[in-house]
Amino acid sequence: MAQTESAAAHHNGHGHGGGNASHGSLKSYVIGFVLSIVLTIIPLVVVMNHMLGRTGTMILIVAMAVLQFAVQLLFFMHLREGENARWNVLALVLGLVVLITIVAGSIWIMTYNTPNM
Amino acid sequence: MAHAHAAASEHVHDDHHGHHEHDGHHDQESLKLFGFWIFLITDCILFGTLFATYVVLRNSTAGGPEAHELFEMPGVIAETFILLTSSFTSGLAVLSMHQGSKRGLIGWLAVTAVLGASFVGLEVTEFVKMVTVEHATIATSGFLSGFFVLVGTHGLHVSVGLIWMTALMIQIGRRGITSVTTRKVGVISLYWHFLDVVWIFVFTVVYLMGVM
């Protein structure tokens, strides 16, 4: 068993040339964690203390959630690292187009639908 | 044991060939990881439709309790920070794995699983209280149907992740860190970070907008 572990360590000790380089450093994980905590506390404080108007709060909390999404993708899920980075990004863009169409389209239609029913 | 040994010699084999010449096995592992990205994107669309349903039905309370009467923020805030921390600890598990530490890997996965279990526990408590004390069930109103389906689907994902993670810890205990278990840990950490992202949107769209 010890042999297995040392072999794995040996493998990774060789640098990350073209291998499975999709893992960060402790530093990038800590930065990502701190950012995600901050991006959670900001909308929480604003909402609980009623610091902004309705529209302002909506824009702020949605912006914070989108930033949080970006932090998770870049710092934790290593979207831009590894061999398949380009394909990951392309697949994600396709997914987001479908996602935004479904969510925004549903809200748009249903908002103007109800009064006319 | 024999399995682990075979995989270990494969690693050495990899090194001799350098990193630019991939053997078939390695390509397949990285293809599986890409396949999991595709799954996550379809899962993203699944949650997107549930979010759309919830947002559309949010004000259809049919005389039942409304969001701001029902949601109790302290529990939700605790759930949020527990899940954020578990996302971080699953990252630490991946780091330990790449340092070749089997004990560190299993340890951080265990911490992640305990945090995940406390998240599910808090959520179940919240649901039980809603149903028994507030009489707010899935059939009460359109708003609550949307709420229970969206938040419940996320909770189910976390629960499945917990079973999966436990099974993986047993496998790592038996086989050690091999190219196969390395990919599996990579996949579950992606899954876990993804669930954290979905929760952030549940937290924002359901809870923060609900109590606004």
Side-chain angles (χ1 to χ4, degrees):
Chain A
M1 201 50 93
Q3 204 176 352
T4 312
E5 285 178 27
S6 69
H10 177 66
H11 175 64
N12 291 297
H14 261 261
H16 311 113
N20 49 342
S22 47
H23 55 92
S25 60
L26 182 61
K27 195 179 154 201
S28 78
Y29 277 106
V30 172
I31 293 172
F33 185 49
V34 171
L35 281 177
S36 68
I37 295 281
V38 171
L39 289 172
T40 308
I41 290 176
I42 293 172
L44 196 58
V45 168
V46 170
V47 169
M48 300 307 271
N49 299 315
H50 309 285
M51 285 162 76
L52 283 173
R54 193 168 174 82
T55 316
T57 311
M58 288 287 267
I59 293 169
L60 181 99
I61 64 178
V62 171
M64 291 298 123
V66 171
L67 277 178
Q68 173 100 257
F69 184 28
V71 166
Q72 292 276 334
L73 280 175
L74 297 176
F75 288 89
F76 290 168
M77 296 168 85
H78 312 291
L79 175 70
R80 284 151 58 88
E81 297 161 42
E83 295 164 51
N84 291 320
R86 182 185 294 260
W87 296 106
N88 289 352
V89 175
L90 277 175
L92 186 71
V93 169
L94 173 68
L96 288 180
V97 169
V98 177
L99 189 74
I100 290 167
T101 310
I102 293 170
V103 177
S106 303
I107 295 168
W108 187 25
I109 292 168
M110 294 310 287
T111 305
Y112 296 104
N113 173 33
T114 320
N116 299 329
M117 277 208 306
Chain B
M1 192 61 198
H3 202 95
H5 189 81
S9 55
E10 205 168 325
H11 271 295
V12 178
H13 180 77
D14 261 354
D15 280 345
H16 282 308
H17 278 264
H19 284 286
H20 295 287
E21 276 180 62
H22 302 297
D23 54 19
H25 184 69
H26 178 81
D27 275 348
Q28 211 167 32
E29 294 300 307
S30 88
L31 195 62
K32 283 176 182 170
L33 202 60
F34 177 61
F36 196 74
W37 269 96
I38 304 282
F39 162 74
L40 285 185
I41 285 155
T42 62
D43 220 25
C44 212
I45 294 168
L46 165 78
F47 277 109
T49 58
L50 295 181
F51 270 107
T53 318
Y54 173 78
V55 171
V56 164
L57 294 174
R58 195 176 36 167
N59 298 317
S60 314
T61 49
E66 291 176 26
H68 62 92
E69 301 166 326
L70 208 55
F71 297 153
E72 287 173 9
M73 287 311 274
V76 176
I77 293 166
E79 284 173 46
T80 306
F81 284 103
I82 286 171
L83 210 61
L84 280 178
T85 310
S86 79
S87 193
F88 177 60
T89 57
S90 80
L92 293 181
V94 174
L95 277 183
S96 298
M97 177 179 74
H98 286 292
Q99 284 157 2
S101 163
K102 183 175 140 187
R103 181 184 282 195
L105 169 58
I106 294 180
W108 284 118
L109 281 183
V111 173
T112 308
V114 168
L115 288 169
S118 11
F119 172 85
V120 174
L122 279 174
E123 191 160 81
V124 169
T125 314
E126 185 199 357
F127 281 8
V128 168
K129 191 173 172 230
M130 276 186 191
V131 172
T132 55
V133 182
E134 322 266 359
H135 300 292
T137 69
I138 194 165
T140 305
S141 64
F143 153 63
L144 282 166
S145 305
F147 169 81
F148 279 113
V149 173
L150 171 61
V151 182
T153 305
H154 176 270
L156 198 64
H157 271 70
V158 176
S159 309
V160 170
L162 284 177
I163 298 166
W164 177 7
M165 199 177 277
T166 311
L168 187 55
M169 283 191 281
I170 296 168
Q171 192 174 49
I172 296 163
R174 284 185 184 165
R175 298 185 185 176
I177 301 169
T178 68
S179 57
V180 173
T181 49
T182 298
R183 184 250 308 161
K184 286 184 178 175
V185 172
V187 163
I188 198 157
S189 78
L190 275 183
Y191 181 78
W192 206 258
H193 296 315
F194 170 75
L195 288 184
D196 196 33
V197 171
V198 174
W199 179 257
I200 289 305
F201 281 90
V202 170
F203 176 65
T204 305
V205 174
V206 176
Y207 293 101
L208 285 182
M209 289 184 186
V211 297
M212 236 166 79

